[in-house]
């Protein structure tokens, strides 16, 4: 593997020098960190990371290679990848290649050999900010100047870049749930319309495991057209990237959906879109929640779930109306992690119950969606 001198420069002037892996060139994105110890391929292919340069806090990345199964979309979605040490050798019976070649094939840049602890601490102190990775230019001041003209994450509609262009069906199931849900005769019992804001595949697999027939629709498609053409038993609103307040067409669609009183479940960006459609407001978190170890309290049961998360925005609890109940909170910073409505058949969570990567503590939420459709 040929390594070239590579530099990562942040918009406040802080910079880190290392060496390249993956593609070479120059790329800009918002620099964030993820605290997962494994699951780097799922992180790389999660559409919620669009326009972001992801720093992994776990020091050794690449040691189990990559494979064709552990992907959450059609390709790598991150703008850039930052690690302390890239492992050239890999060992896993499921692996069919190494991370370096994988990033090269996807034309995605990586930088290794930097102090990721220092970078993470800096982001925690100063907040997530724009950064640039380059193998073409080594002068930090020149690169910092380029960041002055780059767009900020706030106000960006990135859903239009990751949503599907045309509707399709999805029938894959989760290998880990074949034993828990072996009765394939239940397949198609519930027709679920999925709004794709950048949907992860494991979410779809979890719904299929429970006997859903899925139809995935572009984010811009009108609710009334979906109801007329597909006649769904429920709607699912997916995760996705960018500023939720900027996705105005999705908010308007969900406002129309709420009037129809069709069972609805939202995850991550879908959760935020539901909140905005109900009249709440969102704000940008200082450095976001990204990792597989976030403690979330279920307010109804008092149970604490360890959750997988990936978001940079949150719902302002002071703007939630009296008919909307905050069902879950983050125990690290008390931010809103879940909602349900007293009158409408809808609920949502900010975190990722599909556990890819991450724990399975919140798997029950998919069952609750099934029960909601049963009762309707």
């Amino acid at each position: 593997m040929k390594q070239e001198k590579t530099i990562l420069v942040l918009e406040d002037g802080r910079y880190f020098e290392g060496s390249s892996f993956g593609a070479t060139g120059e790329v800009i994105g918002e620099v964030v960190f993820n605290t997962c110890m494994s699951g780097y391929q799922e992180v790389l292919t999660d559409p919620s990371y669009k326009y972001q340069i992801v720093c992994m806090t776990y020091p050794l990345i690449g040691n189990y290679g990559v494979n064709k199964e552990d992907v959450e979309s059609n390709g790598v979605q991150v703008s850039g990848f930052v690690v302390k040490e890239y492992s050239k050798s890999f060992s896993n019976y499921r692996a069919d290649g190494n991370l370096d070649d994988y990033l090269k094939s996807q034309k995605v840049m990586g930088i290794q050999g930097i102090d990721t602890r220092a970078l993470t601490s800096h982001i925690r102190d100063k907040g997530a900010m724009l950064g640039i990775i380059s193998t073409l230019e080594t002068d930090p001041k020149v690169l910092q100047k380029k960041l002055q003209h780059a767009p900020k994450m706030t106000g960006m509609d990135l859903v239009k870049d990751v949503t599907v262009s045309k509707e399709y069906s999805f029938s894959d199931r989760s290998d880990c749930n074949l034993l828990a849900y072996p009765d394939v005769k239940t397949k198609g019992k519930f027709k679920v319309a999925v709004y794709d804001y950048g949907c992860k595949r494991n979410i779809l697999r979890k719904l299929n495991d429970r006997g859903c027939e899925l139809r995935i629709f572009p984010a811009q498609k009108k609710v009334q057209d979906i109801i007329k053409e597909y006649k769904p038993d429920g709607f699912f609103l997916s995760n996705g990237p960018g500023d939720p307040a900027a996705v105005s067409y999705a908010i308007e669609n969900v406002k129309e959906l709420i009037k129809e009183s069709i069972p609805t479940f939202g995850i991550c960006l879908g959760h935020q879109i539901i909140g905005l459609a109900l009249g709440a407001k969102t704000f940008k978190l200082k450095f976001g929640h990204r990792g597989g170890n976030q403690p979330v309290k279920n307010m109804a049961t008092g149970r604490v779930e360890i959750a997988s998360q990936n978001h940079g925005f949150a719902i302002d609890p002071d703007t939630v109306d009296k008919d909307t109940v905050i069902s879950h909170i983050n125990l690290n910073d008390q931010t809103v992690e879940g909602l349900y409505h007293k009158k409408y058949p809808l609920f949502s969570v900010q975190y990722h119950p599909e556990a890819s990567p991450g724990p399975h503590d919140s798997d029950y939420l998919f069952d609750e969606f099934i029960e909601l459709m049963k009762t309707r």
Side-chain angles (χ1 to χ4, degrees), residues 225-243:
D225 291 339
I226 295 176
I227 294 173
K228 182 179 179 181
E229 296 169 15
Y230 188 56
K231 298 179 175 58
D233 299 303
F235 271 82
F236 174 75
L237 312 180
S238 84
N239 62 292
D243 184 348

Side-chain angles (χ1 to χ4, degrees), residues 75-301:
V76 175
Q77 302 289 339
V78 304
S79 292
F81 202 41
V82 183
V83 304
K84 174 67 175 77
E85 180 182 349
Y86 163 66
S87 177
K88 297 178 185 178
S89 60
F90 62 93
S91 177
N92 188 281
Y93 75 98
R94 298 172 65 242
D96 52 29
N98 65 61
L99 180 57
D100 179 47
D101 290 340
Y102 183 60
L103 291 180
K104 280 188 173 77
S105 70
Q106 299 281 307
K107 297 181 173 58
V108 174
M109 294 184 66
I111 178 173
Q112 65 159 328
I114 74 166
D115 188 343
T116 52
R117 292 175 300 178
L119 174 58
T120 300
S121 295
H122 189 73
I123 294 171
R124 280 184 62 89
D125 291 340
K126 305 296 183 181
M129 65 185 76
L130 289 178
I132 182 170
I133 301 175
S134 181
T135 59
L136 307 176
E137 173 63 63
T138 58
D139 187 336
K141 292 183 179 179
V142 172
L143 293 172
Q144 185 186 12
K145 188 170 292 188
K146 290 185 179 182
L147 292 174
Q148 295 175 0
H149 307 289
K152 304 277 190 180
M153 184 64 74
T154 301
M156 289 187 74
D157 172 14
L158 294 174
V159 170
K160 60 180 171 43
D161 297 327
V162 296
T163 190
V164 290
S165 58
K166 59 181 180 179
E167 63 190 70
Y168 70 97
S169 297
F170 187 90
S171 58
D172 289 357
R173 297 185 68 195
S174 304
D175 290 340
C176 61
N177 277 330
L178 289 177
L179 292 176
Y181 301 93
D183 187 5
V184 293
K185 292 180 181 178
T186 62
K187 192 69 177 173
K189 186 174 182 180
F190 299 103
K191 295 174 68 175
V192 177
V194 177
Y195 262 127
D196 179 18
Y197 304 142
C199 191
K200 293 173 66 180
R201 288 179 178 172
N202 212 42
I203 292 174
L204 303 179
R205 295 187 188 104
K206 294 282 187 179
L207 291 169
N208 278 334
D209 291 340
R210 290 158 173 83
C212 294
E213 175 189 303
L214 304 181
R215 191 71 178 167
I216 291 81
F217 294 93
Q220 299 89 348
K221 180 135 183 156
K222 298 293 185 183
V223 163
Q224 295 301 334
D225 291 339
I226 295 176
I227 294 173
K228 182 179 179 181
E229 296 169 15
Y230 188 56
K231 298 179 175 58
D233 299 303
F235 271 82
F236 174 75
L237 312 180
S238 84
N239 62 292
D243 184 348
V247 195
S248 56
Y249 48 88
I251 299 168
E252 293 305 312
N253 267 331
V254 175
K255 285 180 180 179
E256 288 297 312
L257 174 58
I258 290 171
K259 295 176 185 177
E260 298 293 331
S261 285
I262 297 174
T264 302
F265 177 27
I267 287 176
C268 201
L269 186 69
H271 157 81
Q272 296 164 356
I273 295 295
I274 285 176
L276 290 165
L278 290 170
K281 297 187 182 301
T282 55
F283 66 97
K284 195 173 191 307
L285 294 165
K286 184 176 180 181
F287 49 81
H289 303 159
R290 297 174 181 91
N293 51 4
Q294 293 279 332
V296 172
K297 183 177 181 179
N298 185 319
M299 302 302 287
T301 65

Side-chain angles (χ1 to χ4, degrees), residues 17 19 22 35 54 59 61 74 115 130 173 223 250 284 331 342 358:
E17 294 178 327
S19 58
T35 59
V54 179
I61 300 294
N74 291 327
D115 188 343
L130 289 178
R173 297 185 68 195
V223 163
K284 195 173 191 307
L331 293 180
K342 294 179 181 179

Side-chain angles (χ1 to χ4, degrees), residues 37-69:
M37 296 176 67
S38 62
Y40 52 79
Q41 192 172 1
E42 292 94 327
V43 169
L44 288 167
T45 56
D46 180 352
S48 297
Y49 280 114
K50 196 74 176 176
Y51 195 60
Q52 291 185 323
I53 295 171
V54 179
C55 168
M56 300 299 290
T57 61
Y58 189 72
L60 183 66
I61 300 294
N63 53 317
Y64 58 84
V66 296
N67 61 66
K68 295 176 182 177
E69 289 77 38

